[in-house]
Coordinates of all heavy atoms in Angstrom, one line a residue:
G1456 N -2.8 1.2 -35.4 CA -2.5 -0.2 -35.7 C -2.4 -1.0 -34.4 O -1.8 -2.1 -34.5
R1465 N -19.2 -4.9 -19.0 CA -19.5 -3.7 -18.3 C -18.5 -2.7 -18.1 O -18.7 -1.7 -17.5 CB -20.0 -4.2 -16.9 CG -21.3 -5.1 -16.9 CD -21.6 -5.6 -15.5 NE -22.9 -6.4 -15.6 CZ -24.1 -5.9 -15.4 NH1 -24.2 -4.6 -15.0 NH2 -25.2 -6.7 -15.4
E1471 N -1.8 -3.2 -22.9 CA -0.4 -2.7 -22.6 C -0.1 -1.5 -23.5 O 0.5 -0.5 -23.1 CB 0.6 -3.8 -22.8 CG 2.0 -3.4 -22.5 CD 3.0 -4.6 -22.6 OE1 2.6 -5.7 -22.9 OE2 4.2 -4.3 -22.5
E1482 N 0.2 14.2 -21.5 CA 1.2 15.2 -21.5 C 0.9 16.2 -22.6 O 1.1 17.4 -22.4 CB 2.6 14.6 -21.7 CG 3.7 15.6 -21.6 CD 5.1 15.0 -21.7 OE1 5.2 13.8 -21.8 OE2 6.1 15.8 -21.6
N1501 N -4.4 32.4 -8.4 CA -4.0 32.4 -7.0 C -3.3 31.1 -6.5 O -2.8 31.1 -5.4 CB -5.2 32.7 -6.1 CG -5.9 34.0 -6.4 OD1 -5.2 34.9 -7.0 ND2 -7.1 34.2 -6.0
Q1506 N 7.0 22.1 -4.9 CA 7.6 20.8 -4.6 C 8.7 21.0 -3.6 O 9.6 21.8 -3.7 CB 8.2 20.1 -5.9 CG 8.9 18.8 -5.5 CD 9.2 18.0 -6.8 OE1 8.3 17.7 -7.5 NE2 10.5 17.6 -7.0
A1510 N 10.2 16.1 4.9 CA 10.6 16.7 6.2 C 10.5 18.2 6.2 O 10.0 18.7 7.2 CB 12.0 16.2 6.5
R1522 N 1.1 31.9 9.1 CA 1.7 33.2 8.8 C 1.6 33.5 7.4 O 1.4 34.7 6.9 CB 3.2 33.3 9.4 CG 3.2 33.2 10.8 CD 4.5 33.9 11.4 NE 5.7 33.3 11.1 CZ 6.4 32.5 12.0 NH1 5.7 32.2 13.1 NH2 7.5 31.9 11.7
Q1651 N 13.2 24.6 20.5 CA 12.8 25.8 21.2 C 11.5 25.6 21.9 O 11.3 26.2 23.0 CB 12.6 26.9 20.1 CG 13.9 27.4 19.5 CD 14.8 28.1 20.5 OE1 14.4 29.0 21.2 NE2 16.0 27.6 20.6
R1654 N 10.2 20.1 22.9 CA 9.7 18.8 22.5 C 11.0 17.9 22.3 O 10.9 16.7 22.5 CB 8.9 18.8 21.3 CG 7.5 19.5 21.5 CD 6.7 19.5 20.2 NE 6.3 18.1 19.9 CZ 5.8 17.7 18.7 NH1 5.7 18.6 17.7 NH2 5.5 16.4 18.5
A1663 N 28.4 19.5 14.0 CA 29.2 19.3 12.9 C 28.6 20.0 11.7 O 27.4 20.1 11.6 CB 29.4 17.8 12.5

Side-chain angles (χ1 to χ4, degrees):
R1465 294 177 180 265
E1471 182 177 355
E1482 182 175 3
N1501 298 343
Q1506 176 165 304
R1522 296 209 287 263
Q1651 291 297 302
R1654 296 181 65 194

